[in-house]
Amino acid sequence: GLNLDLAGDQATRDALLRSLPRLLELPVDRLQGRRLDAEFFNELLAPDLVGSLLRWLGDPQGFKSRCSAAEWDAFGHQARGEYSLDVVKDGPLKAARLLAGRQGPWSKVWSRFAESPTLFSGVVEWLRKGSPREPSMFDTPEVWPDRNESEERALESALSALGDRPQSEIISRVKELEAFHAPRRGFVWAKLGLSPFALALEPLHRLALACEVPFGAPSPAEFATAYATAGWKVDADAMAALEATQSLVDPTTILKVVRGIYLPWIETTSRHLQKQIESRGSKTTKKNPVIEPRAGRAVLFADGLRMDLAAVLQSELKTAGHTATLDWDWSTVPSVTASAKPAASPVSGGLGGSETGEGFGTRLLATGQPLTSDRFKAALAQAGWQVLGASETGDPAGWAWTEAGSIDKRGHDEGWKLARSLTTERRDLSARIGQLVAAGWREVLVVTDHGWLLMPLGLPKVELKAYLTEDRWGRCASLKPGAQSDQHTYHWHWNEAVGIACPPGAGSYRAGMEYSHGGVSLQESVTPYLTVTPGGSASTGPRITEAKWNGAKCRVGVTGTIAGLRLDVRTVLGDAETSLLVDRAPRELTPEGKATLFLESDSDIGKRAEIVLLSSSQQVLHSYPTTLGT
């Protein structure tokens, strides 16, 4: 009497009875105008057959235990009818082989698995068990994890053999390995973390290609300009190769290959720059003028912001809608914070150096006192500069100095593992810049003191007798008056009468140093000078406009184009690991630009933090300082 097109076969009757509780919940209009057969009724109980197959294969016993008797029967009927698989008689081993074969309807199942393999990680073990003992030419690493693991071992072995070979031989072999193993980065095993060497090979290959090309220029300024324009990419590739070791149990193999390719390039370019500077009086002069106070100007000092980081930061800032212009300047000799930070500051004109170097630190010309941190801030304040704390935004009607980032500290503490933290450091700087722009600053000038050399397994040791020096650090030393050294001596930036010895090439006066600065090299001496101003989309882009707390719950409102954006609550703007939300998972915005955030712990109530607005690529677009819970 309902005028429904109902099949009359026994399979349909059985399926209808199994699905009767679900069927009774459906409105009649959902049943009209379509063929009601066994397939329709089974789908009421198992609507996602592809997903069900993968969930069952990943955990056969667990899947069955979570199904009602009717759901299990419906799933079995569908698997037999559409995939020629009897889940009871054939079992998961045959299913794994059918999945790897990717024939007919099983190609759709493989595609689903390949899209989100972490959702069905148990499938991998059945693919291992189902792998043929004597694989044919059709049994590729793309579908069998043990074949992929075999090629991973072969790649590791091939890379291990390169550790002590000449640079040219390493480069040639890396190119060969890349040609063979690159396709594996597109296999599902890479998403599951089962191809770490294939993934690390990609930046290694870029590094090899970059270091293969001769790099130089006829003068220090032209050499620095070439480095600031494109040469920094070599350093970026080296850092990317080191960062890719995070998933390796033992990174030694990759560290040795990076060193074998990268160290000769640093040695050659450093010696070239040193020779050029020596031939021109053994000193460099700051290229940019002393920073002047200007209404709406905030100077952001980032200790150890090297040119490769600044170049990537510039690109990310442009993507976020800001206008970002990257220039370069010289660091001081020596390229250490005590000398170079004052030289990069707005108060450099009131400073000078002693007759002995005194740890490469400066003195106030007005009083003769050593420049301490407190005296530095006092000198800035006396000149009218607001000195802002880490999350303070100040008054954009004036001018301000603030500091952010911990690149240099991490480098001294972590050595080559700094490469694993650089993405977090860069995002933190980007977030701080965005915070200042959002607060109304018309210009954020990002400056630094020096760059650095980073070499896994240590920079080459260079001898310098301690009795010749007043102070001796890894990449520099101040010589005693009248001391004669076989190494070239540069003029100290703050007092040309003081001689500064720097090791040739990429050498170090201290053994085993993986991270160091103070010497003369492109990486240490050529520093970024980044000017950021609000662009059209930055000034009118999405913004957090309100945050209303009720205990551990906060309702947040956002204006602007909000598609794909998320919200997080963090103690450090650019570090997702400092999230205070439940599961550390950023929350999606509703189409109306609203979201409700929940703290993981009530004990965080009362703390200061930042509500951050994130793009689809996790870039911080805007931040909102808040006291949690109030």
Side-chain angles (χ1 to χ4, degrees):
L2 296 177
N3 194 29
L4 299 178
D5 181 11
L6 179 66
D9 59 278
Q10 188 60 45
T12 298
R13 294 172 184 171
D14 293 340
L16 188 154
L17 289 173
R18 284 193 299 269
S19 65
L20 191 57
R22 296 279 178 87
L23 179 64
L24 294 175
E25 297 174 356
L26 293 180
V28 174
D29 58 6
R30 290 275 303 277
L31 306 177
Q32 293 173 333
R34 60 184 303 170
R35 179 67 169 171
L36 304 181
D37 53 14
E39 180 181 357
F40 172 81
F41 294 118
N42 284 326
E43 284 184 354
L44 290 180
L45 294 172
D48 178 18
L49 180 56
V50 172
S52 295
L53 276 171
L54 290 170
R55 285 188 287 273
W56 166 74
L57 183 54
D59 181 13
Q61 293 302 318
F63 179 86
K64 183 177 181 181
S65 68
R66 291 188 293 271
C67 291
S68 66
E71 289 171 335
W72 175 252
D73 288 343
F75 170 64
H77 278 278
Q78 285 181 290
R80 283 193 298 273
E82 296 187 37
Y83 292 93
S84 302
L85 175 72
D86 189 317
V87 295
V88 176
K89 295 180 180 179
D90 296 331
L93 195 61
K94 181 176 179 180
R97 290 169 177 163
L98 290 169
L99 176 64
R102 299 178 293 179
Q103 298 298 310
W106 284 96
S107 63
K108 183 187 297 184
V109 184
W110 178 268
S111 295
R112 176 78 169 272
F113 171 59
E115 285 174 3
S116 304
T118 55
L119 298 178
F120 315 105
S121 55
V123 171
V124 178
E125 289 306 312
W126 285 106
L127 286 169
R128 283 197 178 97
K129 293 174 182 177
S131 179
R133 292 185 178 181
E134 297 182 3
S136 69
M137 62 180 294
F138 301 105
D139 297 312
T140 70
E142 184 176 1
V143 295
W144 298 115
D146 56 333
R147 293 289 311 280
N148 180 71
E149 288 160 2
S150 176
E151 294 206 351
E152 274 289 293
R153 290 191 294 271
L155 175 56
E156 180 182 11
S157 177
L159 291 172
S160 297
L162 300 177
D164 58 352
R165 307 308 301 161
Q167 184 200 47
S168 59
E169 184 177 330
I170 297 175
I171 289 175
S172 177
R173 183 62 174 136
V174 165
K175 289 161 67 176
E176 293 174 358
L177 292 170
E178 169 69 6
F180 183 83
H181 289 278
R184 290 198 295 112
R185 291 195 290 271
F187 296 167
V188 65
W189 319 120
K191 294 181 181 179
L192 289 168
L194 300 178
S195 304
F197 281 98
L199 292 172
L201 184 59
E202 184 176 18
L204 268 182
H205 180 244
R206 292 200 308 267
L207 178 64
L209 295 179
C211 290
E212 193 176 30
V213 180
F215 185 63
S219 71
E222 290 172 287
F223 202 16
T225 299
Y227 173 70
T229 302
W232 59 266
K233 294 177 182 178
V234 175
D235 300 319
D237 290 336
M239 296 306 103
L242 295 176
E243 184 181 18
T245 64
Q246 293 192 76
S247 57
L248 294 173
V249 175
D250 182 2
T252 306
T253 294
I254 299 298
L255 300 187
K256 288 182 176 180
V257 177
V258 170
R259 180 184 175 85
I261 298 172
Y262 188 39
L263 180 57
W265 190 84
I266 294 229
E267 279 281 357
T268 300
T269 56
S270 297
R271 288 177 184 272
H272 183 57
L273 179 64
Q274 291 162 5
K275 184 176 181 180
Q276 289 180 331
I277 293 175
E278 290 165 11
S279 68
R280 289 166 173 79
S282 298
K283 63 179 182 179
T284 58
T285 303
K286 299 291 286 185
K287 185 169 75 78
N288 292 300
V290 176
I291 300 170
E292 296 180 351
R294 181 184 301 167
R297 167 180 278 178
V299 179
L300 175 61
F301 174 80
D303 193 358
L305 180 64
R306 201 169 65 169
M307 185 60 73
D308 51 328
L309 298 179
V312 178
L313 177 61
Q314 178 199 24
S315 177
E316 292 176 346
L317 289 167
K318 287 183 175 180
T319 300
H322 303 292
T323 298
T325 304
L326 182 60
D327 196 1
W328 66 272
D329 206 343
W330 291 112
S331 181
T332 60
V333 177
S335 49
V336 296
T337 300
S339 281
K341 180 179 178 179
S345 77
V347 296
S348 60
L351 305 174
S354 68
E355 297 299 320
T356 61
E358 291 183 330
F360 313 115
T362 60
R363 290 178 172 270
L364 294 165
L365 293 177
T367 64
Q369 295 173 303
L371 185 69
T372 62
S373 176
D374 288 341
R375 289 173 183 147
F376 176 66
K377 293 177 182 178
L380 285 167
Q382 188 175 2
W385 291 85
Q386 302 169 61
V387 180
L388 306 180
S391 61
E392 295 175 340
T393 54
D395 180 7
W399 44 92
W401 171 278
T402 188
E403 301 181 15
S406 55
I407 299 167
D408 191 44
K409 183 181 185 304
R410 283 183 184 265
H412 288 295
D413 292 344
E414 301 172 8
W416 73 264
K417 291 183 180 178
L418 168 66
R420 296 176 172 179
S421 306
L422 292 177
T423 298
T424 296
E425 285 290 328
R426 194 179 65 247
R427 286 177 177 171
D428 193 26
L429 287 172
S430 177
R432 179 58 170 152
I433 292 167
Q435 182 186 40
L436 292 169
V437 170
W441 291 95
R442 296 196 297 273
E443 176 190 74
V444 179
L445 180 59
V446 184
V447 299
T448 191
D449 46 1
H450 57 74
W452 32 271
L453 294 183
L454 188 149
M455 189 57 57
L457 308 178
L459 296 165
K461 178 69 166 60
V462 173
E463 294 295 332
L464 177 66
K465 301 299 182 182
Y467 65 80
L468 297 173
T469 65
E470 295 281 0
D471 288 285
R472 185 180 62 167
W473 297 4
R475 286 278 295 161
C476 59
S478 59
L479 298 176
K480 292 180 178 178
Q484 299 295 318
S485 170
D486 59 354
Q487 295 178 38
H488 188 83
T489 303
Y490 300 85
H491 296 292
W492 184 28
H493 175 85
W494 294 103
N495 187 340
E496 292 191 4
V498 177
I500 303 294
C502 296
S508 171
Y509 294 137
R510 297 181 181 177
M513 296 192 77
E514 294 184 321
Y515 173 94
S516 188
H517 56 88
V520 175
S521 68
L522 292 171
Q523 289 75 15
E524 298 161 285
S525 303
V526 182
T527 58
Y529 195 86
L530 179 62
T531 305
V532 184
T533 56
S537 59
S539 57
T540 61
R543 294 171 61 87
I544 301 169
T545 55
E546 62 176 349
K548 296 181 179 179
W549 287 95
N550 182 7
K553 180 173 72 173
C554 184
R555 298 186 184 278
V556 183
V558 176
T559 60
T561 304
I562 51 86
L565 305 188
R566 294 171 181 263
L567 288 165
D568 200 356
V569 177
R570 299 175 178 177
T571 56
V572 178
L573 286 174
D575 188 355
E577 294 300 314
T578 67
S579 174
L580 301 176
L581 295 185
V582 174
D583 299 328
R584 292 184 178 178
R587 296 301 189 264
E588 292 185 11
L589 289 160
T590 66
E592 294 76 28
K594 305 292 183 182
T596 301
L597 310 180
F598 296 90
L599 296 179
E600 177 79 38
S601 173
D602 289 349
S603 64
D604 290 324
I605 292 175
K607 295 180 180 179
R608 292 289 294 172
E610 301 277 344
I611 301 174
V612 293
L613 182 63
L614 303 170
S615 69
S616 57
S617 61
Q618 302 302 303
Q619 181 76 19
V620 176
L621 301 178
H622 188 233
S623 66
Y624 189 98
T626 185
T627 299
L628 304 180
T630 61

